[in-house]
Amino acid sequence: MKSYLDDYKSKLVTAEKAARFVKNGDRVEYAGFCAKPVDFDIALAKRVNDENFKVTVRGTATVPPIPEVIKADPNQNTFQYTSWYYTALDRILGDRGLCTYNPTNYHEASEMFYSEDYKRFWCDVWISQVAPMDESGYFNFGLANSYTRALAMGARCRIVEINNNFPRCLGGCEEGVHISEIDYVIEGSNSPVFTIPASTEYTPADKKIAELIVEDIRNGDCIQLGIGSLPGAIGELIAESELKDLGIQSELFCDSYTKMYELGKITNDKKRVDRFKSVYTFSFATKDTLDFMHENPSLASCSSGYTNDPSRIRMNDNVISVNNILEVDLFSQVCSETKGVRQISGTGGQLDWVLGAQKSKGGKSFLAFNSTYKDKNGKMHSRIKPMLSPGGVVTVPRTMVQWLVTEYGKVNVKACSIWERSEALISLAHPDFRDELIKNAEEMKIWRPTNKIA
């Protein structure tokens, strides 16, 4: 077998030297999630005072630590930072004018970065943390497959930063790059991989919403769970249930899946495609889940273009998709990514799964949310509003919304009239807000005098 060590050694550079390959006007792409570079970022930040040097740095779902290019240049005279999906860190940076959002549908990203038609979006320099090179000369993207390979292939300069702590996540498809496809290798400082703390604390509302959804899950269903506390509550209920032979097709591999695996709930035996494999494209999880994912042949890391394409999602029967939302209006327009004009998260793959699950034979799309929230002063507000908050972005249009769930019930508004939708939505609201919502609906002429709320 050919040894790739000579190629490896010939491409080995320091982070400082790699950062010198960035030119004025370049678009530098930091791989997303846990694959954000560390040593290269530090080295690039040191060029903050270079004369005639201005670049754009793009990331996705930025995790701590704060990128050094931002800390070194708070006035953005040299580095402008943008993100394809907001985390809490991106949100804080956005509030301070240090980051802006790039809207896109997740399943389209790979296609965009492979297609000459979208060449204006391609990056000049691509850099990603990766697992150490294997004996076949491949570097694995670990927890951040996403559209990482597509980004790399369109770049003028391709750089990998090795982290010995990175889990190696088996494919799947597009889960890595070969030594022959990259230009430079940095042996990184092996910083700890970002993890989230384990949590088993769920609100009574989360538990009730989870109960309402789990009662619709059947043996052999194919499940997708989004980000947040609700997936954990659902996973707990499934773990305690008699459900079996479940399948996983998801963008996120979350801690709930690990527990479901350990209890024998997941077999993927009933899937029509990717049988016996849990398919996913990225992960934010605890250390235990990261250890579970490392070189696990029952899991398949695939690009987001594969996991999230609605036409591929629908190939499996009985897809159950569960995602969180921020607010919904009485027309059933859903906002899941902004609070007014403030960017909170992103479109991500939510619309992909709403479409794909509904097209799946026997599938259902659930959009779930606590009926209320409290502001910083402790005042309670309804997440069901007459109209979306001014500046609120429509993540899922009313024509595509199917099941909506709060702690007060669940309703299927697909193909309902506006009158029926308003009544259904108000039935999900906290009782303290229902009379006011009825009054709003009457003023908007979307409430019939014969409408009744049980």
Side-chain angles (χ1 to χ4, degrees), residues 204-221:
D206 283 339
K207 291 179 179 179
K208 182 58 181 177
I209 293 168
E211 289 172 0
L212 290 168
I213 293 173
V214 171
E215 69 184 20
D216 270 21
I217 299 177
R218 301 145 295 184
N219 292 338
D221 282 358

Side-chain angles (χ1 to χ4, degrees), residues 206-219 221 223 233-235 237-238 241-243 246 320 322 364 366 403-411:
D206 283 339
K207 291 179 179 179
K208 182 58 181 177
I209 293 168
E211 289 172 0
L212 290 168
I213 293 173
V214 171
E215 69 184 20
D216 270 21
I217 299 177
R218 301 145 295 184
N219 292 338
D221 282 358
I223 299 173
I234 290 173
L237 282 180
I238 290 176
S241 74
E242 298 299 317
L243 289 168
L246 299 175
I320 303 295
V322 183
K364 294 181 180 180
F366 292 96
W403 287 94
L404 290 162
V405 191
T406 72
E407 68 271 31
Y408 293 103
K410 59 187 175 186
V411 294

Side-chain angles (χ1 to χ4, degrees), residues 310-442:
S311 64
R312 179 168 289 279
I313 293 169
R314 71 180 296 180
M315 290 180 183
N316 280 308
D317 294 340
N318 305 312
V319 173
I320 303 295
S321 168
V322 183
N323 289 283
N324 293 320
I325 71 173
L326 291 176
E327 64 179 35
V328 59
D329 66 18
L330 294 180
F331 297 98
S332 72
Q333 297 182 115
V334 167
C335 174
S336 305
E337 59 188 279
T338 68
K339 187 175 182 180
V341 297
R342 184 186 183 225
Q343 193 72 41
I344 300 296
S345 55
T347 304
Q350 184 165 116
L351 185 57
D352 300 340
W353 290 99
V354 167
L355 291 167
Q358 290 182 48
K359 295 293 185 181
S360 162
K361 182 180 178 181
K364 294 181 180 180
S365 159
F366 292 96
L367 296 174
F369 58 110
N370 289 355
S371 65
T372 62
Y373 68 94
K374 289 183 179 180
D375 63 24
K376 60 183 179 182
N377 297 317
K379 182 179 179 182
M380 188 167 70
H381 300 268
S382 176
R383 293 190 184 276
I384 299 173
K385 301 179 180 295
M387 292 179 285
L388 295 181
S389 300
V393 170
V394 176
T395 306
V396 183
R398 60 185 181 178
T399 52
M400 292 313 307
V401 176
Q402 191 184 34
W403 287 94
L404 290 162
V405 191
T406 72
E407 68 271 31
Y408 293 103
K410 59 187 175 186
V411 294
N412 184 350
V413 299
K414 187 75 173 183
C416 288
S417 71
I418 300 301
W419 286 346
E420 291 168 324
R421 286 171 198 256
S422 63
E423 181 174 14
L425 264 296
I426 295 172
S427 75
L428 299 182
H430 189 288
D432 290 354
F433 294 97
R434 291 181 185 176
D435 287 344
E436 183 65 23
L437 286 169
I438 290 172
K439 181 181 177 181
N440 295 143
E442 288 174 336

